[in-house]
Amino acid sequence: MRRMKHRIVTTIQRYVANPLNRKRPAQQLLETTGRVSGVPRVVPVGGRRAGNEFWFVSEFGDRSDYVRNIRADGRVRVRLRGEWYSGTAHPLPEDDAVRRLASLPRGNSAAVRVMGTDLLTIRVDLDD
């Protein structure tokens, strides 16, 4: 069941939701470097900036391509309010992802809780 849910959700995201959301000026975006291709990969995310950190939760944890990219190369860029910031991403499996979602934007957090199967907190340390 988890595998089927993952396949359905990621297919909808890849071909419908992500292309539409990337075009929204206010959408937060995460840019990683493809672990195989070496080219930039951009995905919409929903999180919150706290000082020089940006926090979000991956709904499929290590099965998410962008998490695999982060594990291969933690250097990322994040678009917040239309401006790009460089930083280093850190997967935090020890963090309580469900609790973390309570501190993040409600709409995205609700979707992640409903759609997700393997929640994983990610912290991006933003460069100055």
Side-chain angles (χ1 to χ4, degrees), residues 19-109:
L20 292 173
N21 284 330
R22 278 189 206 104
K23 294 177 182 180
R24 293 179 46 225
Q27 176 67 51
Q28 297 170 336
L29 300 174
L30 173 71
E31 180 185 85
T32 61
T33 301
R35 64 195 174 284
V36 176
S37 68
V39 301
R41 302 294 184 189
V42 178
V43 295
V45 294
R48 176 164 284 138
R49 183 174 183 170
N52 283 336
E53 299 173 337
F54 177 72
W55 293 83
F56 67 100
V57 174
S58 167
E59 58 201 344
F60 297 115
D62 286 319
R63 293 186 346 193
S64 296
D65 284 329
Y66 67 84
V67 173
R68 291 183 202 168
N69 291 343
I70 288 169
R71 291 208 186 271
D73 179 1
R75 296 296 304 158
V76 300
R77 291 191 327 142
V78 180
R79 187 178 80 177
L80 306 171
R81 295 188 174 138
E83 188 173 338
W84 285 97
Y85 299 88
S86 296
T88 304
H90 305 277
L92 302 172
E94 67 280 0
D95 191 70
D96 183 344
V98 173
R99 189 170 186 178
R100 179 69 57 190
L101 283 171
S103 70
L104 301 177
R106 284 188 203 172
N108 183 75
S109 293

